[in-house]
Structure formats: C-alpha cells, structure tokens
mmCIF file of all heavy atoms in Angstrom:
data_model
loop_
_atom_site.group_PDB
_atom_site.id
_atom_site.type_symbol
_atom_site.label_atom_id
_atom_site.label_comp_id
_atom_site.label_asym_id
_atom_site.label_seq_id
_atom_site.Cartn_x
_atom_site.Cartn_y
_atom_site.Cartn_z
ATOM 1 N N GLU A 1 -3.626 13.484 -2.608
ATOM 2 C CA GLU A 1 -3.258 12.225 -3.173
ATOM 3 C C GLU A 1 -3.491 11.162 -2.033
ATOM 4 O O GLU A 1 -3.445 11.522 -0.846
ATOM 5 C CB GLU A 1 -1.797 12.208 -3.566
ATOM 6 C CG GLU A 1 -0.797 12.426 -2.438
ATOM 7 C CD GLU A 1 0.637 12.396 -2.906
ATOM 8 O OE1 GLU A 1 0.942 11.914 -3.921
ATOM 9 O OE2 GLU A 1 1.467 12.804 -2.109
ATOM 10 N N VAL A 2 -3.639 9.907 -2.448
ATOM 11 C CA VAL A 2 -3.748 8.821 -1.543
ATOM 12 C C VAL A 2 -2.696 7.875 -1.718
ATOM 13 O O VAL A 2 -2.421 7.414 -2.882
ATOM 14 C CB VAL A 2 -5.155 8.090 -1.737
ATOM 15 C CG1 VAL A 2 -5.319 7.018 -0.762
ATOM 16 C CG2 VAL A 2 -6.291 9.104 -1.675
ATOM 17 N N LEU A 3 -1.860 7.642 -0.720
ATOM 18 C CA LEU A 3 -0.817 6.695 -0.833
ATOM 19 C C LEU A 3 -1.130 5.432 -0.033
ATOM 20 O O LEU A 3 -1.319 5.443 1.141
ATOM 21 C CB LEU A 3 0.529 7.300 -0.196
ATOM 22 C CG LEU A 3 0.966 8.598 -0.853
ATOM 23 C CD1 LEU A 3 2.101 9.248 -0.037
ATOM 24 C CD2 LEU A 3 1.458 8.358 -2.256
ATOM 25 N N PHE A 4 -1.235 4.343 -0.738
ATOM 26 C CA PHE A 4 -1.497 3.005 -0.121
ATOM 27 C C PHE A 4 -0.188 2.318 -0.025
ATOM 28 O O PHE A 4 0.597 2.164 -0.926
ATOM 29 C CB PHE A 4 -2.381 2.131 -1.060
ATOM 30 C CG PHE A 4 -3.859 2.632 -1.089
ATOM 31 C CD1 PHE A 4 -4.255 3.425 -2.140
ATOM 32 C CD2 PHE A 4 -4.693 2.411 -0.136
ATOM 33 C CE1 PHE A 4 -5.514 3.880 -2.286
ATOM 34 C CE2 PHE A 4 -5.997 2.920 -0.205
ATOM 35 C CZ PHE A 4 -6.486 3.632 -1.329
ATOM 36 N N VAL A 5 0.085 1.812 1.222
ATOM 37 C CA VAL A 5 1.404 1.171 1.484
ATOM 38 C C VAL A 5 1.036 -0.296 1.860
ATOM 39 O O VAL A 5 0.411 -0.516 2.854
ATOM 40 C CB VAL A 5 2.131 1.824 2.625
ATOM 41 C CG1 VAL A 5 3.459 1.113 2.873
ATOM 42 C CG2 VAL A 5 2.429 3.313 2.348
ATOM 43 N N ASN A 6 1.477 -1.225 0.982
ATOM 44 C CA ASN A 6 1.264 -2.585 1.280
ATOM 45 C C ASN A 6 2.254 -3.157 2.282
ATOM 46 O O ASN A 6 3.483 -3.159 2.012
ATOM 47 C CB ASN A 6 1.359 -3.430 -0.101
ATOM 48 C CG ASN A 6 0.971 -4.915 0.114
ATOM 49 O OD1 ASN A 6 0.704 -5.327 1.199
ATOM 50 N ND2 ASN A 6 0.995 -5.534 -0.965
ATOM 51 N N ASP A 7 1.760 -3.653 3.410
ATOM 52 C CA ASP A 7 2.583 -4.108 4.483
ATOM 53 C C ASP A 7 2.528 -5.683 4.492
ATOM 54 O O ASP A 7 2.077 -6.244 5.450
ATOM 55 C CB ASP A 7 2.057 -3.483 5.743
ATOM 56 C CG ASP A 7 3.032 -3.861 6.944
ATOM 57 O OD1 ASP A 7 4.215 -4.133 6.750
ATOM 58 O OD2 ASP A 7 2.572 -3.801 8.116
ATOM 59 N N HIS A 8 3.145 -6.270 3.434
ATOM 60 C CA HIS A 8 3.266 -7.693 3.301
ATOM 61 C C HIS A 8 1.875 -8.412 3.373
ATOM 62 O O HIS A 8 1.727 -9.490 3.990
ATOM 63 C CB HIS A 8 4.147 -8.279 4.421
ATOM 64 C CG HIS A 8 5.456 -7.598 4.570
ATOM 65 N ND1 HIS A 8 6.425 -7.698 3.604
ATOM 66 C CD2 HIS A 8 6.086 -6.831 5.499
ATOM 67 C CE1 HIS A 8 7.464 -7.016 3.855
ATOM 68 N NE2 HIS A 8 7.277 -6.420 5.088
ATOM 69 N N SER A 9 0.936 -7.977 2.559
ATOM 70 C CA SER A 9 -0.393 -8.580 2.535
ATOM 71 C C SER A 9 -0.297 -9.870 1.805
ATOM 72 O O SER A 9 0.442 -10.030 0.850
ATOM 73 C CB SER A 9 -1.367 -7.665 1.792
ATOM 74 O OG SER A 9 -1.761 -6.633 2.549
ATOM 75 N N THR A 10 -1.036 -10.816 2.266
ATOM 76 C CA THR A 10 -1.170 -12.173 1.683
ATOM 77 C C THR A 10 -2.487 -12.458 1.011
ATOM 78 O O THR A 10 -2.710 -13.475 0.502
ATOM 79 C CB THR A 10 -0.837 -13.294 2.625
ATOM 80 O OG1 THR A 10 -1.736 -13.160 3.725
ATOM 81 C CG2 THR A 10 0.646 -13.102 3.159
ATOM 82 N N ASP A 11 -3.385 -11.494 1.128
ATOM 83 C CA ASP A 11 -4.752 -11.687 0.429
ATOM 84 C C ASP A 11 -4.830 -10.866 -0.742
ATOM 85 O O ASP A 11 -3.840 -10.512 -1.358
ATOM 86 C CB ASP A 11 -5.886 -11.339 1.481
ATOM 87 C CG ASP A 11 -5.787 -9.881 1.879
ATOM 88 O OD1 ASP A 11 -4.844 -9.142 1.540
ATOM 89 O OD2 ASP A 11 -6.725 -9.477 2.725
ATOM 90 N N THR A 12 -5.992 -10.544 -1.257
ATOM 91 C CA THR A 12 -6.240 -9.815 -2.462
ATOM 92 C C THR A 12 -6.235 -8.325 -2.325
ATOM 93 O O THR A 12 -6.772 -7.614 -3.213
ATOM 94 C CB THR A 12 -7.517 -10.321 -3.209
ATOM 95 O OG1 THR A 12 -8.592 -9.961 -2.239
ATOM 96 C CG2 THR A 12 -7.489 -11.806 -3.464
ATOM 97 N N SER A 13 -5.713 -7.822 -1.291
ATOM 98 C CA SER A 13 -5.689 -6.459 -0.985
ATOM 99 C C SER A 13 -5.020 -5.598 -2.096
ATOM 100 O O SER A 13 -5.595 -4.631 -2.625
ATOM 101 C CB SER A 13 -5.032 -6.034 0.382
ATOM 102 O OG SER A 13 -5.728 -6.648 1.389
ATOM 103 N N GLU A 14 -3.876 -5.981 -2.482
ATOM 104 C CA GLU A 14 -3.111 -5.273 -3.484
ATOM 105 C C GLU A 14 -3.850 -5.310 -4.871
ATOM 106 O O GLU A 14 -3.907 -4.261 -5.562
ATOM 107 C CB GLU A 14 -1.716 -5.916 -3.721
ATOM 108 C CG GLU A 14 -0.877 -5.112 -4.624
ATOM 109 C CD GLU A 14 0.585 -5.596 -4.693
ATOM 110 O OE1 GLU A 14 0.973 -6.354 -3.766
ATOM 111 O OE2 GLU A 14 1.301 -5.280 -5.587
ATOM 112 N N ALA A 15 -4.485 -6.428 -5.221
ATOM 113 C CA ALA A 15 -5.253 -6.451 -6.519
ATOM 114 C C ALA A 15 -6.478 -5.509 -6.354
ATOM 115 O O ALA A 15 -6.747 -4.843 -7.450
ATOM 116 C CB ALA A 15 -5.727 -7.898 -6.711
ATOM 117 N N LEU A 16 -7.118 -5.400 -5.301
ATOM 118 C CA LEU A 16 -8.216 -4.416 -5.059
ATOM 119 C C LEU A 16 -7.720 -2.989 -5.269
ATOM 120 O O LEU A 16 -8.423 -2.191 -5.948
ATOM 121 C CB LEU A 16 -8.819 -4.600 -3.652
ATOM 122 C CG LEU A 16 -9.689 -5.877 -3.554
ATOM 123 C CD1 LEU A 16 -10.061 -5.928 -1.997
ATOM 124 C CD2 LEU A 16 -10.923 -5.785 -4.307
ATOM 125 N N ILE A 17 -6.550 -2.703 -4.753
ATOM 126 C CA ILE A 17 -6.073 -1.296 -4.919
ATOM 127 C C ILE A 17 -5.704 -1.024 -6.389
ATOM 128 O O ILE A 17 -6.024 -0.020 -6.932
ATOM 129 C CB ILE A 17 -4.814 -1.100 -4.053
ATOM 130 C CG1 ILE A 17 -5.189 -1.256 -2.585
ATOM 131 C CG2 ILE A 17 -4.164 0.259 -4.298
ATOM 132 C CD1 ILE A 17 -5.986 -0.238 -1.987
ATOM 133 N N GLN A 18 -5.026 -1.950 -7.007
ATOM 134 C CA GLN A 18 -4.722 -1.808 -8.377
ATOM 135 C C GLN A 18 -6.006 -1.682 -9.305
ATOM 136 O O GLN A 18 -5.990 -0.854 -10.263
ATOM 137 C CB GLN A 18 -3.916 -2.957 -8.895
ATOM 138 C CG GLN A 18 -2.501 -2.924 -8.364
ATOM 139 C CD GLN A 18 -1.693 -4.177 -8.682
ATOM 140 O OE1 GLN A 18 -2.234 -5.207 -9.072
ATOM 141 N NE2 GLN A 18 -0.337 -4.083 -8.464
ATOM 142 N N GLN A 19 -7.040 -2.406 -8.999
ATOM 143 C CA GLN A 19 -8.245 -2.358 -9.800
ATOM 144 C C GLN A 19 -8.849 -1.009 -9.491
ATOM 145 O O GLN A 19 -9.365 -0.371 -10.502
ATOM 146 C CB GLN A 19 -9.249 -3.416 -9.337
ATOM 147 C CG GLN A 19 -10.584 -3.431 -10.010
ATOM 148 C CD GLN A 19 -11.464 -4.498 -9.555
ATOM 149 O OE1 GLN A 19 -11.209 -5.216 -8.569
ATOM 150 N NE2 GLN A 19 -12.625 -4.607 -10.132
ATOM 151 N N ALA A 20 -8.881 -0.486 -8.301
ATOM 152 C CA ALA A 20 -9.463 0.835 -8.011
ATOM 153 C C ALA A 20 -8.668 1.927 -8.680
ATOM 154 O O ALA A 20 -9.254 2.861 -9.203
ATOM 155 C CB ALA A 20 -9.454 1.109 -6.478
ATOM 156 N N MET A 21 -7.333 1.800 -8.762
ATOM 157 C CA MET A 21 -6.513 2.752 -9.452
ATOM 158 C C MET A 21 -6.824 2.798 -10.932
ATOM 159 O O MET A 21 -6.801 3.884 -11.588
ATOM 160 C CB MET A 21 -5.068 2.502 -9.234
ATOM 161 C CG MET A 21 -4.549 2.715 -7.767
ATOM 162 S SD MET A 21 -2.872 2.180 -7.387
ATOM 163 C CE MET A 21 -1.814 2.862 -8.674
ATOM 164 N N ALA A 22 -7.093 1.696 -11.530
ATOM 165 C CA ALA A 22 -7.426 1.582 -12.995
ATOM 166 C C ALA A 22 -8.772 2.133 -13.259
ATOM 167 O O ALA A 22 -9.006 2.734 -14.332
ATOM 168 C CB ALA A 22 -7.266 0.218 -13.431
ATOM 169 N N ASN A 23 -9.753 2.039 -12.369
ATOM 170 C CA ASN A 23 -11.098 2.319 -12.647
ATOM 171 C C ASN A 23 -11.531 3.678 -12.015
ATOM 172 O O ASN A 23 -12.724 4.044 -12.009
ATOM 173 C CB ASN A 23 -12.104 1.303 -12.154
ATOM 174 C CG ASN A 23 -11.858 -0.057 -12.850
ATOM 175 O OD1 ASN A 23 -11.403 -0.077 -13.970
ATOM 176 N ND2 ASN A 23 -12.172 -1.145 -12.181
ATOM 177 N N SER A 24 -10.513 4.441 -11.458
ATOM 178 C CA SER A 24 -10.952 5.684 -10.834
ATOM 179 C C SER A 24 -10.064 6.866 -11.176
ATOM 180 O O SER A 24 -8.976 6.729 -11.661
ATOM 181 C CB SER A 24 -10.875 5.435 -9.274
ATOM 182 O OG SER A 24 -11.100 6.550 -8.581
ATOM 183 N N THR A 25 -10.671 8.071 -10.980
ATOM 184 C CA THR A 25 -9.887 9.248 -11.194
ATOM 185 C C THR A 25 -9.122 9.696 -9.878
ATOM 186 O O THR A 25 -8.536 10.705 -9.808
ATOM 187 C CB THR A 25 -10.743 10.416 -11.717
ATOM 188 O OG1 THR A 25 -11.771 10.634 -10.624
ATOM 189 C CG2 THR A 25 -11.428 10.050 -13.041
ATOM 190 N N LEU A 26 -9.352 8.871 -8.830
ATOM 191 C CA LEU A 26 -8.693 9.228 -7.580
ATOM 192 C C LEU A 26 -7.161 9.173 -7.705
ATOM 193 O O LEU A 26 -6.589 8.229 -8.179
ATOM 194 C CB LEU A 26 -9.130 8.150 -6.537
ATOM 195 C CG LEU A 26 -8.884 8.442 -5.090
ATOM 196 C CD1 LEU A 26 -9.727 9.662 -4.645
ATOM 197 C CD2 LEU A 26 -9.259 7.213 -4.253
ATOM 198 N N PRO A 27 -6.521 10.287 -7.327
ATOM 199 C CA PRO A 27 -5.093 10.282 -7.377
ATOM 200 C C PRO A 27 -4.372 9.448 -6.421
ATOM 201 O O PRO A 27 -4.211 9.855 -5.231
ATOM 202 C CB PRO A 27 -4.714 11.736 -7.291
ATOM 203 C CG PRO A 27 -5.840 12.290 -6.352
ATOM 204 C CD PRO A 27 -7.021 11.494 -6.720
ATOM 205 N N CYS A 28 -4.052 8.225 -6.713
ATOM 206 C CA CYS A 28 -3.478 7.292 -5.709
ATOM 207 C C CYS A 28 -2.218 6.505 -6.290
ATOM 208 O O CYS A 28 -2.102 6.374 -7.475
ATOM 209 C CB CYS A 28 -4.533 6.303 -5.129
ATOM 210 S SG CYS A 28 -5.357 5.371 -6.323
ATOM 211 N N ARG A 29 -1.390 6.195 -5.282
ATOM 212 C CA ARG A 29 -0.220 5.306 -5.671
ATOM 213 C C ARG A 29 -0.111 4.167 -4.731
ATOM 214 O O ARG A 29 -0.624 4.248 -3.569
ATOM 215 C CB ARG A 29 1.015 6.223 -5.579
ATOM 216 C CG ARG A 29 1.088 7.289 -6.627
ATOM 217 C CD ARG A 29 2.426 7.965 -6.628
ATOM 218 N NE ARG A 29 2.911 8.265 -5.331
ATOM 219 C CZ ARG A 29 4.064 8.960 -5.094
ATOM 220 N NH1 ARG A 29 4.775 9.402 -6.130
ATOM 221 N NH2 ARG A 29 4.434 9.218 -3.887
ATOM 222 N N LEU A 30 0.421 3.054 -5.202
ATOM 223 C CA LEU A 30 0.664 1.925 -4.364
ATOM 224 C C LEU A 30 2.145 1.773 -4.118
ATOM 225 O O LEU A 30 3.031 1.695 -5.038
ATOM 226 C CB LEU A 30 0.132 0.704 -5.123
ATOM 227 C CG LEU A 30 0.298 -0.642 -4.391
ATOM 228 C CD1 LEU A 30 -0.460 -0.694 -3.124
ATOM 229 C CD2 LEU A 30 -0.184 -1.804 -5.256
ATOM 230 N N LEU A 31 2.516 1.749 -2.810
ATOM 231 C CA LEU A 31 3.878 1.548 -2.471
ATOM 232 C C LEU A 31 3.986 0.202 -1.661
ATOM 233 O O LEU A 31 2.988 -0.326 -1.242
ATOM 234 C CB LEU A 31 4.320 2.658 -1.517
ATOM 235 C CG LEU A 31 4.102 4.068 -2.070
ATOM 236 C CD1 LEU A 31 4.452 5.101 -0.937
ATOM 237 C CD2 LEU A 31 5.028 4.322 -3.246
ATOM 238 N N HIS A 32 5.205 -0.300 -1.586
ATOM 239 C CA HIS A 32 5.483 -1.571 -0.908
ATOM 240 C C HIS A 32 6.317 -1.336 0.239
ATOM 241 O O HIS A 32 7.486 -0.713 0.126
ATOM 242 C CB HIS A 32 6.039 -2.671 -1.868
ATOM 243 C CG HIS A 32 5.063 -3.024 -2.862
ATOM 244 N ND1 HIS A 32 4.084 -3.945 -2.731
ATOM 245 C CD2 HIS A 32 5.035 -2.626 -4.183
ATOM 246 C CE1 HIS A 32 3.428 -4.061 -3.855
ATOM 247 N NE2 HIS A 32 3.937 -3.270 -4.701
ATOM 248 N N ASN A 33 5.985 -1.819 1.433
ATOM 249 C CA ASN A 33 6.843 -1.697 2.594
ATOM 250 C C ASN A 33 7.733 -2.889 2.660
ATOM 251 O O ASN A 33 7.242 -4.010 3.114
ATOM 252 C CB ASN A 33 5.948 -1.564 3.843
ATOM 253 C CG ASN A 33 6.842 -1.302 5.029
ATOM 254 O OD1 ASN A 33 8.045 -1.027 5.008
ATOM 255 N ND2 ASN A 33 6.228 -1.273 6.253
ATOM 256 N N ASP A 34 8.905 -2.885 2.188
ATOM 257 C CA ASP A 34 9.802 -4.039 2.072
ATOM 258 C C ASP A 34 10.621 -4.288 3.364
ATOM 259 O O ASP A 34 11.111 -5.348 3.569
ATOM 260 C CB ASP A 34 10.739 -3.894 0.933
ATOM 261 C CG ASP A 34 10.012 -3.800 -0.363
ATOM 262 O OD1 ASP A 34 8.978 -4.454 -0.509
ATOM 263 O OD2 ASP A 34 10.509 -3.011 -1.209
ATOM 264 N N ALA A 35 10.618 -3.323 4.268
ATOM 265 C CA ALA A 35 11.509 -3.401 5.474
ATOM 266 C C ALA A 35 10.832 -4.345 6.496
ATOM 267 O O ALA A 35 9.601 -4.477 6.599
ATOM 268 C CB ALA A 35 11.618 -2.034 6.095
ATOM 269 N N VAL A 36 11.582 -5.218 7.099
ATOM 270 C CA VAL A 36 11.152 -6.036 8.154
ATOM 271 C C VAL A 36 11.721 -5.493 9.466
ATOM 272 O O VAL A 36 12.858 -5.602 9.779
ATOM 273 C CB VAL A 36 11.692 -7.566 7.961
ATOM 274 C CG1 VAL A 36 11.251 -8.352 9.112
ATOM 275 C CG2 VAL A 36 11.229 -8.049 6.610
ATOM 276 N N VAL A 37 10.861 -4.829 10.191
ATOM 277 C CA VAL A 37 11.173 -4.054 11.389
ATOM 278 C C VAL A 37 10.263 -4.463 12.453
ATOM 279 O O VAL A 37 9.228 -5.147 12.316
ATOM 280 C CB VAL A 37 11.277 -2.584 11.246
ATOM 281 C CG1 VAL A 37 12.393 -2.202 10.184
ATOM 282 C CG2 VAL A 37 9.922 -2.045 10.655
ATOM 283 N N GLN A 38 10.492 -3.837 13.686
ATOM 284 C CA GLN A 38 9.694 -4.105 14.804
ATOM 285 C C GLN A 38 8.254 -3.485 14.641
ATOM 286 O O GLN A 38 7.276 -4.117 15.085
ATOM 287 C CB GLN A 38 10.391 -3.468 16.058
ATOM 288 C CG GLN A 38 9.914 -4.058 17.398
ATOM 289 C CD GLN A 38 10.763 -5.175 17.838
ATOM 290 O OE1 GLN A 38 11.795 -5.429 17.407
ATOM 291 N NE2 GLN A 38 10.284 -6.016 18.760
ATOM 292 N N SER A 39 8.210 -2.335 14.094
ATOM 293 C CA SER A 39 6.918 -1.683 13.908
ATOM 294 C C SER A 39 6.661 -1.342 12.432
ATOM 295 O O SER A 39 7.035 -0.318 11.978
ATOM 296 C CB SER A 39 6.817 -0.352 14.795
ATOM 297 O OG SER A 39 7.905 0.458 14.372
ATOM 298 N N PRO A 40 6.125 -2.357 11.637
ATOM 299 C CA PRO A 40 5.975 -2.144 10.196
ATOM 300 C C PRO A 40 5.039 -1.000 9.878
ATOM 301 O O PRO A 40 5.155 -0.361 8.811
ATOM 302 C CB PRO A 40 5.489 -3.542 9.704
ATOM 303 C CG PRO A 40 4.923 -4.167 10.936
ATOM 304 C CD PRO A 40 5.719 -3.603 12.075
ATOM 305 N N LYS A 41 4.064 -0.671 10.703
ATOM 306 C CA LYS A 41 3.055 0.379 10.429
ATOM 307 C C LYS A 41 3.817 1.746 10.345
ATOM 308 O O LYS A 41 3.693 2.548 9.523
ATOM 309 C CB LYS A 41 1.981 0.408 11.507
ATOM 310 C CG LYS A 41 0.829 1.226 11.185
ATOM 311 C CD LYS A 41 -0.159 0.612 10.194
ATOM 312 C CE LYS A 41 -0.841 -0.578 10.720
ATOM 313 N NZ LYS A 41 -1.816 -1.161 9.804
ATOM 314 N N LYS A 42 4.643 1.982 11.384
ATOM 315 C CA LYS A 42 5.425 3.241 11.390
ATOM 316 C C LYS A 42 6.424 3.268 10.232
ATOM 317 O O LYS A 42 6.562 4.382 9.620
ATOM 318 C CB LYS A 42 6.270 3.349 12.720
ATOM 319 C CG LYS A 42 5.350 3.529 13.959
ATOM 320 C CD LYS A 42 6.224 3.637 15.171
ATOM 321 C CE LYS A 42 5.332 3.819 16.382
ATOM 322 N NZ LYS A 42 6.239 3.907 17.657
ATOM 323 N N GLU A 43 7.047 2.158 9.916
ATOM 324 C CA GLU A 43 7.892 2.135 8.755
ATOM 325 C C GLU A 43 7.147 2.473 7.466
ATOM 326 O O GLU A 43 7.655 3.177 6.580
ATOM 327 C CB GLU A 43 8.636 0.799 8.646
ATOM 328 C CG GLU A 43 9.621 0.728 7.621
ATOM 329 C CD GLU A 43 10.798 1.581 7.745
ATOM 330 O OE1 GLU A 43 11.227 1.910 8.963
ATOM 331 O OE2 GLU A 43 11.402 2.042 6.743
ATOM 332 N N GLY A 44 5.941 1.966 7.307
ATOM 333 C CA GLY A 44 5.114 2.260 6.145
ATOM 334 C C GLY A 44 4.761 3.626 5.983
ATOM 335 O O GLY A 44 4.754 4.296 4.956
ATOM 336 N N ILE A 45 4.416 4.285 7.144
ATOM 337 C CA ILE A 45 4.101 5.751 7.152
ATOM 338 C C ILE A 45 5.272 6.551 6.821
ATOM 339 O O ILE A 45 5.282 7.534 6.078
ATOM 340 C CB ILE A 45 3.521 6.143 8.562
ATOM 341 C CG1 ILE A 45 2.156 5.429 8.704
ATOM 342 C CG2 ILE A 45 3.438 7.725 8.660
ATOM 343 C CD1 ILE A 45 1.574 5.634 10.165
ATOM 344 N N THR A 46 6.432 6.192 7.334
ATOM 345 C CA THR A 46 7.703 6.890 7.066
ATOM 346 C C THR A 46 7.999 6.765 5.505
ATOM 347 O O THR A 46 8.425 7.817 4.941
ATOM 348 C CB THR A 46 8.829 6.314 7.842
ATOM 349 O OG1 THR A 46 8.507 6.414 9.260
ATOM 350 C CG2 THR A 46 10.148 7.064 7.617
#
C-alpha cells in the first residue's frame, strides 16, 4: 500500500493525489498531518 501524508500543502498536491487515486488501481490512501510540531516530517511518518 502507498500512504500519502499531506503536510499542510498549499498547492495542488492533494488534488493530484486524489486524481491518481481515482484513476489508478494503485492501493493508496491520503492522510492529513494535522499536528503542528517541531519536525512535521517525523510526525507524518509516525
């Protein structure tokens, strides 16, 4: 599976992921990293 974690994107990244999910058989999910912490990348992975 592919887990995409949106880390407060302000561009069209999330729309691209949603479009790919609709047009593909790739097993993926879109998650949102809502936490505001010192290291958002680590929080997204967690």
Side-chain angles (χ1 to χ4, degrees):
E1 65 179 345
V2 182
L3 301 171
F4 291 99
V5 183
N6 185 356
D7 185 24
H8 307 293
S9 287
T10 57
D11 62 357
T12 60
S13 298
E14 187 172 340
L16 287 170
I17 298 293
Q18 290 173 343
Q19 180 182 4
M21 288 170 52
N23 298 334
S24 174
T25 60
L26 194 65
C28 56
R29 294 190 314 186
L30 178 62
L31 306 172
H32 296 279
N33 188 10
D34 300 325
V36 179
V37 293
Q38 200 92 18
S39 59
K41 192 79 65 179
K42 288 180 185 177
E43 184 65 30
I45 293 170
T46 302

